Amino acid sequence: MKKAIYGIVGFITLLILFASCGYNNMVKLDEQVQSQWAQVENVYQRRSDLIPNLVNTVKGVANFEQSTLTKVMEARAKATSIQVDPNKLSPENVKKFQGAQGELSQAIGRLMMITENYPNLKANENFLELQAQLEGTENRITVERQRFNEVTQQYNAKVRTFPNNLTAGMFGFEKKGYFQAEAGAEKAPKVDFGK
């Protein structure tokens, strides 16, 4: 009888220890990170969906440099081909995803800069609407990436602090990656209005 009581007390003690080591909270935080990752992918997908319409509008209105349009579509294809499993949001995987999306951002930026040379395009309602949608989507991307980094920071802090790190190690909770600032973002752009 005493052994059974000791066994029950020991079992209850183990449950309390695991609860105090934050397993359930780690699961909750992991779910938040995965949910926020889905939001990040959602806004990137929205941007990707706008690009073919933008390219077709540019092609239809202006005698445009084909190489620029090709680079945009190639960057889009590369960016959409890189998928990251929400259970494997390692720093390396997030960096790889961010790199491909960054290449697409640069290609879109070049496209938008070149369109400034085409007055017919700047007056086209469809182009202006797509441009506004793209700008809004870029803002959403920034917001969702920031939210992702916030929930990831909470998760990473939880799995790396003692005694949670012991529980995290036992159950495979690993540190997740963040979105980083783009290369060169630390330098302010040089503005020259001419003389």
Side-chain angles (χ1 to χ4, degrees):
M1 185 71 171
K2 279 187 174 183
K3 286 184 180 184
I5 292 174
Y6 287 136
I8 292 171
V9 170
F11 180 72
I12 291 171
T13 303
L14 281 175
L15 286 177
I16 291 170
L17 285 175
F18 274 120
S20 70
C21 288
Y23 174 82
N24 290 338
N25 199 15
M26 282 183 240
V27 170
K28 179 181 162 195
L29 291 172
D30 186 51
E31 288 295 323
Q32 288 175 349
V33 170
Q34 290 184 40
S35 174
Q36 191 55 46
W37 180 255
Q39 280 302 108
V40 167
E41 287 183 317
N42 185 33
V43 291
Y44 275 118
Q45 184 62 51
R46 175 177 165 70
R47 178 178 74 171
S48 182
D49 292 346
L50 289 171
I51 291 171
N53 292 334
L54 182 67
V55 167
N56 287 334
T57 300
V58 169
K59 269 198 289 194
V61 173
N63 184 12
F64 210 73
E65 296 103 14
Q66 188 61 36
S67 65
T68 302
L69 298 175
T70 302
K71 287 178 184 173
V72 170
M73 294 309 289
E74 287 172 353
R76 177 184 180 267
K78 181 178 179 184
T80 57
S81 72
I82 295 179
Q83 301 294 318
V84 179
D85 182 342
N87 293 309
K88 297 178 181 166
L89 292 170
S90 68
E92 298 80 24
N93 287 341
V94 172
K95 185 175 182 177
K96 187 173 154 184
F97 179 86
Q98 182 180 355
Q101 294 297 336
E103 288 177 28
L104 179 55
S105 294
Q106 289 175 358
I108 293 170
R110 283 190 297 275
L111 173 67
M112 299 312 278
M113 285 177 57
I114 293 171
T115 61
E116 292 296 315
N117 299 327
Y118 295 88
N120 291 345
L121 192 56
K122 291 192 296 186
N124 181 290
E125 256 184 67
N126 194 27
F127 175 77
L128 293 174
E129 175 63 27
L130 287 167
Q131 186 178 23
Q133 286 184 36
L134 193 59
E135 289 170 2
T137 300
E138 291 295 335
N139 290 335
R140 290 178 188 165
I141 288 170
T142 300
V143 168
E144 297 303 339
R145 282 174 45 152
Q146 180 182 357
R147 288 179 182 161
F148 175 81
N149 280 352
E150 289 169 0
V151 297
T152 300
Q153 187 276 327
Q154 292 171 0
Y155 168 86
N156 284 343
K158 184 72 171 180
V159 301
R160 294 181 65 214
T161 56
F162 183 82
N164 299 320
N165 60 344
L166 301 174
T167 305
M170 277 192 283
F171 292 100
F173 290 98
E174 296 178 357
K175 183 179 177 191
K176 299 191 185 292
Y178 296 100
F179 281 99
Q180 305 291 327
E182 299 295 329
E186 70 280 356
K187 297 177 187 169
K190 183 177 180 181
V191 178
D192 184 9
F193 291 109
K195 305 240 183 307

